[in-house]
Amino acid sequence: MHAKRQHFVPQFYLKNFAKANGDLWICRRRSEAKSSAVFKSNARKICVENNLYEIPSMNTPEQKFIEWRAIEAALSRMESTFALSVKHLAEYDPDKPDTSSESLWEHLSIVIVFTANLIVRNPKWIKTRRKLAESLTRDLLSRGFFSPNDLFELGKNGYSSDLQGIVELSIQHAELLNFNDRSSTMKLVEEFNKMSVILLRAPDNASFITSSFPVTASWTDEETENPDWLYLPLSATSALIFHEERQQNFFFRRISTEEVDELNVYSLEMNALWDTAISGSKTALETCLRSIS
């Protein structure tokens, strides 16, 4: 069974920042080779890990993973919906005569789910959650959650050594694919829905950058659990701000080149979770890196 390269930041999103030929400029965090810190790549090669969402099977050499590619297939189906709504918002312009706002709220609600999905599918989040499987398995066994028949059926189906792996897969499924009130995704969505949203549009001579952890959060009070300011670039030309100053639920704003540069710096300087900075514009990325170095 070959290793499967799985993106934790979807390729459709990364391509929103690329040049027409697909080129992206990237920089790894804390690169020591300053002369070559920024280099060319593409969406296929970045924000990806081999078998990121796969749970190893302890049973047989032939069966390397439990339910191989099941999570990836489900994420791929979700991404098709996300991509349409992100594109709609990224291209939304109330000044164009053929622009309709009828579906704006539907697309915005989907992009809010996408924002939460970007957080929970990141390795820094999902791997931490998966580590709970060992203690949870012991707890479930001690409480008799699995009946003798359950354990017999696991063995009969070739999963006799994979109980902890199955629990780990269940945790991952709940984190990434469940949309009930108890899931991490929907808890984030609930908080984001309380916030007002600003859609920002960059001028022609400016470019938003993004990163391997695209969502940047800020707290005015560090003792509170939930942030009161979120920033998500949608494309090289558009970005979203979520904030708690509930003057109105949504509005559109064109911003200056200087403001785009400030947001680019903010997205890296105030975000400790990114490993790779990403842009279709080498100039925009280098300008930002000089400001934070």
Side-chain angles (χ1 to χ4, degrees), residues 13 85-86 89-90 104 107-112 114-115 196-201 208 214-216 229-235 237-243 250-252 263 266:
Y13 172 80
S85 292
V86 169
L89 281 191
L104 176 65
H107 287 296
L108 179 59
S109 67
I110 293 171
V111 171
I112 288 173
F114 171 63
T115 305
S196 296
V197 181
I198 308 172
L199 175 60
L200 304 176
R201 182 62 40 79
F208 290 112
V215 183
T216 302
W229 212 83
L230 289 170
Y231 171 71
L232 173 67
L234 295 176
S235 69
T237 58
S238 298
L240 286 180
I241 288 176
F242 300 81
H243 64 102
F250 176 89
F251 63 93
F252 175 90
L263 285 166
Y266 166 81

Side-chain angles (χ1 to χ4, degrees), residues 193-257:
N193 276 328
K194 297 175 184 177
M195 307 173 90
S196 296
V197 181
I198 308 172
L199 175 60
L200 304 176
R201 182 62 40 79
D204 292 339
N205 61 340
S207 180
F208 290 112
I209 70 171
T210 189
S211 75
S212 53
F213 200 101
V215 183
T216 302
S218 294
W219 287 257
T220 53
D221 183 354
E222 294 184 358
E223 294 184 0
T224 60
E225 179 181 0
N226 298 313
D228 47 25
W229 212 83
L230 289 170
Y231 171 71
L232 173 67
L234 295 176
S235 69
T237 58
S238 298
L240 286 180
I241 288 176
F242 300 81
H243 64 102
E244 283 198 337
E245 297 174 7
R246 294 186 59 82
Q247 299 171 349
Q248 59 188 83
N249 288 330
F250 176 89
F251 63 93
F252 175 90
R253 183 176 159 220
R254 302 184 188 277
I255 62 175
S256 66
T257 300

Side-chain angles (χ1 to χ4, degrees), residues 133-155 159 162-168 170:
E134 183 177 359
S135 60
L136 181 56
T137 302
R138 288 198 304 267
D139 180 58
L140 292 172
L141 284 170
S142 68
R143 292 193 287 113
F145 181 84
F146 300 104
S147 69
N149 187 61
D150 291 333
L151 299 176
F152 173 78
E153 288 295 324
L154 285 174
Y159 295 108
D162 284 333
L163 181 58
Q164 182 175 318
I166 291 171
V167 172
E168 187 174 348
S170 299

Side-chain angles (χ1 to χ4, degrees), residues 49-89:
E49 289 188 16
N50 286 342
N51 299 316
L52 171 60
Y53 302 115
E54 306 304 332
I55 310 299
S57 171
M58 306 302 292
N59 230 27
T60 65
E62 294 78 19
Q63 184 180 319
K64 290 188 176 180
F65 300 106
I66 304 169
E67 298 292 327
W68 188 54
R69 298 184 65 178
I71 296 289
E72 182 195 26
L75 287 173
S76 179
R77 291 190 292 270
M78 289 168 56
E79 287 171 14
S80 298
T81 301
F82 291 154
L84 290 173
S85 292
V86 169
K87 183 177 187 294
H88 183 93
L89 281 191

Side-chain angles (χ1 to χ4, degrees), residues 125 129 174-175 178-188 190:
W125 177 292
R129 304 296 291 177
E175 289 293 301
N178 278 7
F179 293 95
N180 57 47
D181 293 340
R182 297 175 60 188
S183 72
S184 294
T185 296
M186 294 313 294
K187 286 179 181 177
L188 289 170
E190 181 182 3

Side-chain angles (χ1 to χ4, degrees), residues 119-137:
I119 295 172
V120 301
R121 70 187 290 174
N122 191 279
K124 296 180 187 297
W125 177 292
I126 194 61
K127 288 183 178 181
T128 300
R129 304 296 291 177
R130 280 165 47 172
K131 288 178 181 178
L132 300 173
E134 183 177 359
S135 60
L136 181 56
T137 302

